[in-house]
Each structure stands twice: as C-alpha cells, then as structure tokens.
Amino acid sequence: LQGFLSYLTSLMWLITLILTANLNNKGFSLTSHILITFYFFCTPMIFLSNELVQENLIIFFLILFFYLEKLECLKTKILMNISLFLILILKIYFIPLIIYLLFSSKRYSSAEKMMSFLLLLSLSLSIYFLLPILLEAKSSANTFIFIKSFDNFLDNLSRFLFSFNHGFFATFHIFSFIIFYFILKKRYFILFSLNIFYIFFFCLFPYWHGDMAGSRYMLPINLLNICVLLKEINHNLLIKKFNKLLCGLLIFIWAFSMNCIDYD
C-alpha cells in the first residue's frame, strides 16, 4: 500500500508537469521548459513526489484550474469550481488564493464570480467547522498553532529570507527574484500583495524554520506566479539573452540538492 501511494503521488506530480507544459504550448521555448522543470525539480519537488500529499494535491488542482480555463467548454466551469473547492478543503487558509483565481479569471461573468465564491466559501467552512461539530469530531481547522511573540515572527521571517537551507536568498527561492521582477514590471500589484501576505502569514507558524517543513507552503503561490507569468517568462528578452547562464545555474542548484535522494 505504501509503495502504491508513493508511485501514485509521483504520477500525479508527473501529470502536473505535463499540464503545466501545455498551458502555453504554442511557441513555448525549450529554455522556458528547462527553467520551469528544474525550478520545480529542486529539493521541494523531491518531497512533493513522495510524502507531502496535501501540497501535491493543491498544486495539481491549481494547475488543473488553469488548464481547464483554456478549454472553451461550458462544463469546464463546474470542474474549475470543484478544483477550487478541493483546494479549500485541503487548506482553508488558501481563501485569498481562491478569491484571486476567481476574480482574475476571464471565464466567469461578474455574477458567476460572486455566486461561485459564496458557494465555495459556505461549503468549505461548513465542512471545516459545522460538520465536525455535528459528528462530534475534532476539526482540522482547530489545529492551527501560532507563535506567541513578535520576536518569534521576526526569527521566522529572517529564516525564511536568509536560511542556508531553503531561504529566499538560497537554493530554489533565488528565482523568486526573477518572478517578482516580472510581477512588478507587469504591474500585477494584487498578485504581489498576495505573495507578501502569505510570506507574513506563514511566518506566524512556529514550525516555519526556513527549511522544507515551512517553505513547502509557499510552493502553490510560487506556481501561481509562474502560471500567471508564463507568456512573459517565455518571451522575455532578458531570459533569452542569459538562457544558458540561467539553465546552468538551475542545473547546478538541482545537483546541489541531490542529497535529498537519501530521503527517497
């Protein structure tokens, strides 16, 4: 059973990569494929392909939402809503993420956006809070433990930025600089604010150590950034000019993280 589940999560991650590659398949350069693949095949992905099933599912449903958004079919809206609903069931604190996806999507009318949001919110909150009470069971929403002092928050924030393991300025997070550059260049200020909100929010958790235990929670946000900026990444002259340097740096970081294969 353990072997089956391990291969199942690995297969789901492989499907996620295939869907990602097909989000912008027309004229999508080999460099862009290498950048995205190696970015998400650094240490976090080794974990996601084996143990962290919840994060694996969230990223899968996020990519599925973007893939369905491309398809010109009325029925896909229902599947898009189901994908968003399942993300909320897995992690209720992704409500701001769901709001962003709904209201930035061009597939929904204004009325559909509001109706979908109210329906998703009411259903997910009911399952999280009301259903456990009715069944006299413990809700997973009550398991949140937050830090107790501002010093702890500053310590978590500094580890998120400067940790030699998975800090913002080290390993795979260094490419967040490229992403943030594109976000500000395109004036996606709402997306930028969403990133800042989740960085601060996750630093409120006591188990954010600057390592995989905490940094994995930002992976859906990082993937959201890349999905929104796929065309910009693909056609940007700066990436085309330094494509060999970027690909070489990604391959180096990926190889540098190979110690995690011991975990596998």
Side-chain angles (χ1 to χ4, degrees):
L1 180 60
Q2 289 178 352
F4 170 75
L5 292 175
S6 177
Y7 280 112
L8 186 64
T9 54
S10 299
L11 178 63
M12 184 175 294
W13 177 243
L14 181 62
I15 295 172
T16 303
L17 283 176
I18 293 171
L19 291 178
T20 307
N22 282 277
L23 286 177
N24 188 14
N25 51 12
K26 293 182 179 179
F28 204 54
S29 68
L30 178 62
T31 302
S32 299
H33 277 300
I34 293 173
L35 284 171
I36 293 172
T37 302
F38 275 105
Y39 180 92
F40 282 101
F41 259 118
C42 290
T43 311
M45 294 304 100
I46 297 174
F47 280 80
L48 284 178
S49 65
N50 288 272
E51 180 189 22
L52 305 174
V53 179
Q54 281 188 321
E55 283 73 20
N56 194 317
L57 286 169
I58 290 170
I59 290 177
F60 171 76
F61 289 125
L62 179 62
I63 283 295
L64 184 61
F65 175 87
F66 281 109
Y67 184 78
L68 292 170
E69 192 178 32
K70 283 182 53 182
L71 305 179
E72 297 295 332
C73 178
L74 184 61
K75 294 180 180 179
T76 56
K77 288 184 181 179
I78 300 174
L79 296 175
M80 289 166 67
N81 282 337
I82 292 175
S83 297
L84 297 180
F85 172 69
L86 292 172
I87 291 175
L88 282 180
I89 291 300
L90 290 165
K91 298 289 183 182
I92 194 67
Y93 49 71
F94 278 126
I95 289 177
L97 171 68
I98 300 305
I99 295 174
Y100 175 84
L101 291 173
L102 269 176
F103 287 90
S104 63
S105 176
K106 297 179 180 179
R107 287 291 308 278
Y108 297 89
S109 65
S110 298
E112 288 175 334
K113 290 177 182 179
M114 186 57 65
M115 289 178 60
S116 296
F117 170 68
L118 293 175
L119 180 63
L120 290 171
L121 186 63
S122 58
L123 285 175
S124 58
L125 290 178
S126 297
I127 291 176
Y128 250 87
F129 295 103
L130 296 180
L131 191 61
I133 293 174
L134 294 174
L135 298 176
E136 296 183 353
K138 185 177 180 182
S139 171
S140 59
N142 297 325
T143 59
F144 288 140
I145 301 174
F146 294 104
I147 57 175
K148 297 180 180 179
S149 70
F150 185 66
D151 289 339
N152 291 139
F153 171 77
L154 292 179
D155 183 53
N156 284 345
L157 185 60
S158 65
R159 290 183 179 187
F160 172 75
L161 295 174
F162 302 110
S163 166
F164 286 109
N165 189 1
H166 288 281
F168 188 86
F169 294 95
T171 63
F172 77 102
H173 267 314
I174 196 170
F175 296 97
S176 298
F177 282 117
I178 301 174
I179 298 301
F180 277 6
Y181 164 76
F182 288 142
I183 290 175
L184 293 175
K185 179 185 177 184
K186 300 294 290 185
R187 300 182 182 273
Y188 293 153
F189 296 123
I190 296 178
L191 181 60
F192 182 78
S193 301
L194 190 68
N195 277 265
I196 300 301
F197 164 77
Y198 275 112
I199 289 173
F200 284 176
F201 176 73
F202 291 135
C203 285
L204 292 174
F205 293 163
Y207 41 83
W208 186 288
H209 309 128
D211 60 13
M212 203 57 240
S215 296
R216 72 177 188 264
Y217 297 118
M218 278 298 292
L219 290 174
I221 310 301
N222 290 339
L223 192 59
L224 168 67
N225 296 335
I226 286 185
C227 289
V228 172
L229 297 167
L230 270 174
K231 291 183 180 179
E232 182 69 22
I233 294 172
N234 188 36
H235 301 294
N236 187 266
L237 295 176
L238 189 65
I239 286 184
K240 289 183 178 180
K241 184 177 181 180
F242 296 102
N243 61 343
K244 292 183 179 179
L245 175 63
L246 289 172
C247 291
L249 188 58
L250 270 167
I251 293 171
F252 170 77
I253 290 176
W254 183 72
F256 193 70
S257 303
M258 289 293 276
N259 62 312
C260 288
I261 288 185
D262 293 339
Y263 169 82
D264 296 343

